Amino acid sequence: MKSLSKAIAIASLVSASALTAQVANAEVSFNAAVVSDYVFRGFSYSDNGFALQGGADYSHESGAYAGVWASTLDDGTDTGTEYDVYAGYWMEVGELEVDLGYTTYNTIDDGLDTAEVYANVTKGAITGSIYLDIDAYET
């Protein structure tokens, strides 16, 4: 529970920062959920059980966005909290929608932290995406 309190405190700080930085033509939104299973890229991060999740997003009409998201974790033997921080830029290029961004995935007390950059290109109903774990390329 101590880890969850830390995650809530971090999310609150980021949310408060986003709200004070809000300018005309920008939007702040919040989300919360109780899910039956936290699955990410084909793996259950809640031991096939429920998870509590929530986040806050800031977006500007220029295409810039940033946010924070958190979830409870359970690997079957231990529980914890994950919080992700991300920022990016979305734009239209001709008939394409392009989304470029950066995400950090962080766990409290586990040390399983990593970061990645991503690019998504969409035309109509088709999206191509690439995600690169930049921690894997450190020298």
Side-chain angles (χ1 to χ4, degrees), residues 49-63:
F50 81 95
L52 303 173
Q53 301 176 336
D57 299 295
Y58 171 84
S59 60
H60 189 269
E61 74 171 5
S62 67

Side-chain angles (χ1 to χ4, degrees), residues 103-134:
T103 303
T104 63
Y105 300 94
N106 310 280
T107 55
I108 297 176
D109 298 330
D110 286 346
L112 301 174
D113 305 340
T114 192
E116 68 184 16
V117 293
Y118 59 88
N120 301 304
V121 178
T122 302
K123 182 173 181 181
I126 307 225
T127 300
S129 301
I130 186 165
Y131 296 84
L132 296 173
D133 182 345
I134 58 176

Side-chain angles (χ1 to χ4, degrees), residues 42-90:
F43 296 98
S44 174
Y45 285 82
S46 59
D47 194 33
N48 298 307
F50 81 95
L52 303 173
Q53 301 176 336
D57 299 295
Y58 171 84
S59 60
H60 189 269
E61 74 171 5
S62 67
Y65 62 88
V68 62
W69 180 85
S71 179
T72 57
L73 300 174
D74 185 349
D75 66 4
T77 59
D78 196 14
T79 60
T81 304
E82 170 187 350
Y83 68 95
D84 307 339
V85 180
Y86 50 90
Y89 187 76
W90 177 92

